[in-house]
Amino acid sequence: MTDSKLDKLKSLLPENITEPKSHAEMMKHKRLTENAFPHVRMRRLRQNDAIRAMVQENHLQVSDLIYPIFVEENIDEPVAISTMPGVVRETEKTLVTKMKEVQDLGIPSVMLFGVSHHKDHTGSDSMDPNGLMARMIDRAKQAAPDVAITADLCFCEYTDHGHCGPIDARKDVDNDKTVENVAMQAVIAAEAGADMVAPSGMMDGQVSGIRHALDVTGFSHIPIMAYAAKFASVFYGPFRDAAGCSLGHNPDVPTHRKTYQMNPANAREAIRDALMDEQEGADILMVKPGMPYLDILAKLRQETDLPLAAYQISGEYAMIRLAAEAGALEYQSAMMESLMAFKRAGADMILTYSACDAARWLSK
Ligand code: PBG
Ligand code: ZN
């Protein structure tokens, strides 16, 4: 740099910045003083598609998507879910067609949720090798061997009271008994052909319980996607209608899940809870719900090197779909923007009821 240029730069420096001592320091000061309009114009990199494409920081791909599927036993036809337009409860038969469609679209994984007609206090049907959970995993795997079957491990779809485990004398979910049961459920799921398990009950110690059970039964290769930070959210409403696990009709059990799912007001606790799952052997950490909790996702991204998943849950899907039906938003662009937001916040993969739609849009 010539002396006259240096002098010019020095003259530009605000008085309160001390005389730069080195060239590097000078350049830093130059940036401080010049990183502003009119030298900088942010719109230079926004002026056309080509330039915008080059500077795009995040990308959404079909391989980011996981598709949740509801499967109801003992029904003859798929049943529409009115609060989630476009989503149905599949029959055990139509699950096969749906799985083939998912495979053809190149979606890497599905998450299966059973809608049980065999409910009891513990949710024992889900621990039965001939029960709905085992059957739907087996069917899905046979129908679409290239699609990784992720088994959602929980009991609320299989218990008569709707909670995520058996109720104890304190009228609360029995933590350690549930961990024992979910460990068994994990082995049943793996035996049925699940490629990954995803415990969603928010019981303490569930990840290590499942890891141990899988390891001693020959399934040390099966990864665990932990619902690591799962909040007690009102946005699960449409799911609970869909899966038949709404609370509130039974006076003998709590009408909420606040003793195991997290308080939506807490961020530090979410990181602590998620990192505990990592310590217990989780392979992937999930944050749920998605859009109202992007801050948790972004924070967790800073704290761990594990892959992260975000769950765009039923209520979020419903908001976008129903707003679109009311003419307030356009479904495709609203959905794609929301999915990109998960990538930007740090998600490697996204569970979304729009996965099939998004896969079609992305392949065009
Ligand atoms: C059950 C479970 C829920 C969801 C996934 N697994 C509901 C709940 O915890 O009450 C929510 C999914 C959604 O809303 O899309 N453990
Ligand atoms: Zn549950």
Side-chain angles (χ1 to χ4, degrees):
M1 198 178 287
T2 63
D3 279 357
S4 67
K5 258 195 167 173
L6 267 175
D7 285 343
K8 178 144 186 268
L9 274 175
K10 280 181 190 169
S11 74
L12 285 170
L13 293 175
E15 314 237 307
N16 58 351
I17 297 183
T18 50
E19 185 84 341
K21 310 232 163 14
S22 62
H23 178 71
E25 212 174 317
M26 175 60 111
M27 292 312 283
K28 193 173 143 210
H29 286 186
K30 176 173 159 10
R31 258 181 272 123
L32 276 178
T33 53
E34 291 197 352
N35 197 9
F37 180 82
H39 313 282
V40 176
R41 288 177 181 268
M42 299 303 286
R43 292 183 58 193
R44 280 179 200 132
L45 297 179
R46 295 174 192 157
Q47 61 183 293
N48 62 41
D49 280 342
I51 292 179
R52 285 194 295 272
M54 281 192 288
V55 299
Q56 178 163 330
E57 299 174 31
N58 294 287
H59 299 270
L60 180 70
Q61 299 171 299
V62 177
S63 60
D64 299 326
L65 303 171
I66 302 175
Y67 185 51
I69 303 179
F70 298 100
V71 183
E72 180 163 5
E73 58 185 347
N74 299 338
I75 54 168
D76 297 325
E77 296 287 331
V79 180
I81 301 163
S82 61
T83 51
M84 301 173 72
V87 181
V88 301
R89 301 168 170 192
E90 303 291 347
T91 73
E92 292 185 62
K93 266 209 183 112
T94 59
L95 170 63
V96 170
T97 334
K98 183 61 91 179
M99 285 304 301
K100 295 205 160 108
E101 183 188 338
V102 168
Q103 181 167 274
D104 290 344
L105 287 167
I107 295 170
S109 185
V110 295
M111 174 96 94
L112 298 176
F113 294 102
V115 182
S116 174
H117 290 206
H118 293 89
K119 301 188 183 208
D120 61 15
H121 183 73
T122 55
S124 63
D125 185 66
S126 65
M127 295 178 274
D128 180 340
N130 300 311
L132 174 59
M133 174 180 276
R135 290 199 310 275
M136 67 187 180
I137 291 169
D138 177 50
R139 271 208 172 224
K141 193 67 212 170
Q142 307 275 350
D146 298 345
V147 178
I149 308 297
T150 304
D152 176 85
L153 300 182
C154 204
F155 295 96
C156 49
E157 298 114 274
Y158 302 90
T159 53
D160 48 20
H161 46 73
H163 276 286
C164 301
I167 305 294
D168 62 17
R170 292 166 49 241
K171 295 201 172 182
D172 197 357
V173 175
D174 185 331
N175 190 87
D176 296 10
K177 186 64 197 156
T178 304
V179 170
E180 225 173 83
N181 289 353
V182 81
M184 174 112 71
Q185 198 187 44
V187 175
I188 297 288
E191 269 170 354
D195 297 284
M196 176 152 74
V197 294
S200 65
M202 287 298 280
M203 295 299 127
D204 289 317
Q206 63 182 7
V207 172
S208 58
I210 290 165
R211 186 69 275 156
H212 177 73
L214 290 174
D215 289 353
V216 299
T217 51
F219 296 110
S220 59
H221 59 288
I222 299 291
I224 301 174
M225 176 196 279
Y227 282 68
K230 179 175 179 181
F231 291 86
S233 173
V234 77
F235 293 101
Y236 302 146
F239 173 95
R240 291 185 190 166
D241 297 338
C245 59
S246 303
L247 301 172
H249 341 288
N250 187 343
D252 298 331
V253 299
T255 55
H256 56 78
R257 301 185 207 275
K258 293 178 193 173
T259 68
Y260 42 107
Q261 297 179 351
M262 290 193 25
N263 182 345
N266 295 357
R268 292 196 309 264
E269 184 189 347
I271 302 303
R272 242 184 110 201
D273 201 328
L275 295 180
M276 268 176 85
D277 282 357
E278 173 168 10
Q279 247 171 27
E280 289 183 31
D283 300 280
I284 298 172
L285 300 178
M286 187 212 292
V287 173
K288 178 186 177 185
M291 282 168 73
Y293 297 86
L294 287 180
D295 60 321
I296 306 294
L297 190 61
K299 272 206 181 93
L300 192 53
R301 182 66 292 162
Q302 311 278 311
E303 299 288 339
T304 180
D305 289 325
L306 290 189
L308 293 185
Y311 199 144
Q312 182 181 52
I313 57 155
S314 55
E316 302 174 57
Y317 173 82
M319 286 196 292
I320 294 173
R321 267 325 274 259
L322 297 175
E325 291 198 348
L329 296 172
E330 201 268 305
Y331 174 45
Q332 177 173 344
S333 15
M335 185 53 78
M336 291 309 254
E337 181 176 331
S338 74
L339 298 179
M340 187 61 83
F342 291 118
K343 297 297 305 266
R344 190 194 63 237
D348 298 287
M349 61 205 96
I350 306 160
L351 293 109
T352 174
Y353 299 96
S354 72
C356 292
D357 294 334
R360 270 184 220 103
W361 299 328
L362 285 167
S363 67
K364 279 204 191 108

